[in-house]
Amino acid sequence: ININPPKKHNKKGKDLKIIIVGDSGTGKTSFVNKYIHNKFAETYSPTIGTAFEYKIIKINDIIYRLQFWDIAGQDRNPEITGIFCKNTNGIILCCEVNKYQTKENTIKWKESIEKVIDIKDIPIIMIENKCDLLGKDEDEYNKDISELKNFAENNNINKCFRTSALNGYGVEESILFLVNQIVGAPEQNPEQNEVKRD
């Protein structure tokens, strides 16, 4: 298991545990790395077990430690998933934009989580990653966005986002939406400032 716990921080803050799940190769680790380090790795290396990253932000003068638990795409096993789902505050379901089956599988991931924890009051978003691979047909794009909205409504997902770990599209927006859902902050124009890591 690849878990690197965060260094102690000298500021008081609230820990928010966010798990990200989805099929192997959908870009979960790249998504987290883009958000936390603003980096993108060209080479693919699958996560073994679970990877742990964190970022400290401030919303409305409150400091939050966002803990990202990146669960390996091979581990859709309730016993394994359950180890890492305890005390979860938010869930990210990740699929690849050009691979429809990975979107369908996000529901299987969600069901796997539901077997081990009660997710009724846990905010959930879905990200359709690698949207940089899409064409630029506006009508097709708008149709897909409409389908995403319906997918979210039909599967009790708070919101679906198009994201790209390569160019950063939608990454910050999706995380900020999820955090605001967790802490109950207003979605529109929230104050957010990254706090420097020690």
Side-chain angles (χ1 to χ4, degrees):
I1 298 174
N2 179 19
I3 298 179
N4 297 309
K7 299 175 183 178
K8 290 184 178 180
H9 198 274
N10 57 10
K11 294 180 179 289
K12 290 184 177 180
K14 297 183 178 180
D15 292 328
L16 299 181
K17 180 178 179 179
I18 298 171
I19 60 172
I20 178 167
V21 297
D23 289 357
S24 181
T26 52
K28 300 183 298 296
T29 301
S30 295
F31 174 85
V32 173
N33 283 338
K34 189 67 176 180
Y35 176 68
I36 293 179
H37 306 293
N38 195 27
K39 293 180 179 179
F40 178 80
E42 294 290 346
T43 56
Y44 170 65
S45 178
T47 301
I48 306 299
T50 296
F52 182 98
E53 290 278 4
Y54 83 106
K55 185 172 183 175
I56 298 173
I57 66 171
K58 184 168 68 174
I59 299 178
N60 297 333
D61 294 323
I62 300 175
I63 291 174
Y64 296 96
R65 287 184 290 262
L66 308 185
Q67 302 176 357
F68 291 90
W69 294 69
D70 174 7
I71 297 176
Q74 302 89 348
D75 288 342
R76 195 167 65 234
N77 178 317
E79 292 183 5
I80 296 175
T81 306
I83 298 172
F84 306 111
C85 291
K86 188 177 180 181
N87 300 321
T88 293
N89 300 109
I91 299 169
I92 302 173
L93 307 173
C94 181
C95 66
E96 185 173 336
V97 70
N98 282 333
K99 295 184 178 180
Y100 184 79
Q101 188 59 48
T102 65
K103 182 165 77 170
E104 290 293 300
N105 287 346
T106 60
I107 303 309
K108 294 180 181 178
W109 279 97
K110 181 170 172 279
E111 290 170 350
S112 179
I113 295 170
E114 285 181 298
K115 291 178 180 178
V116 292
I117 62 172
D118 182 1
I119 65 172
K120 182 177 64 175
D121 297 320
I122 299 177
I124 302 172
I125 65 169
M126 188 187 81
I127 58 171
E128 255 194 347
N129 206 17
K130 305 187 183 182
C131 71
D132 51 279
L133 300 176
L134 288 173
K136 297 185 181 295
D137 186 287
E138 186 173 350
D139 290 338
E140 192 68 25
Y141 179 81
N142 290 334
K143 177 184 175 183
D144 289 347
I145 291 299
S146 177
E147 289 178 354
L148 269 184
K149 184 178 180 181
N150 290 335
F151 187 85
E153 291 175 352
N154 293 335
N155 292 286
N156 296 316
I157 297 170
N158 292 67
K159 195 169 182 178
C160 293
F161 292 86
R162 281 271 171 80
T163 62
S164 169
L166 176 64
N167 60 34
Y169 179 83
V171 173
E172 191 88 16
E173 177 190 2
S174 58
I175 294 295
L176 189 55
F177 173 86
L178 179 61
V179 172
N180 283 329
Q181 292 294 304
I182 295 171
V183 303
E187 183 182 350
Q188 58 272 23
N189 301 320
E191 175 192 352
Q192 180 188 20
N193 299 297
E194 180 179 348
V195 178
K196 187 175 180 181
R197 292 160 61 114
D198 288 339

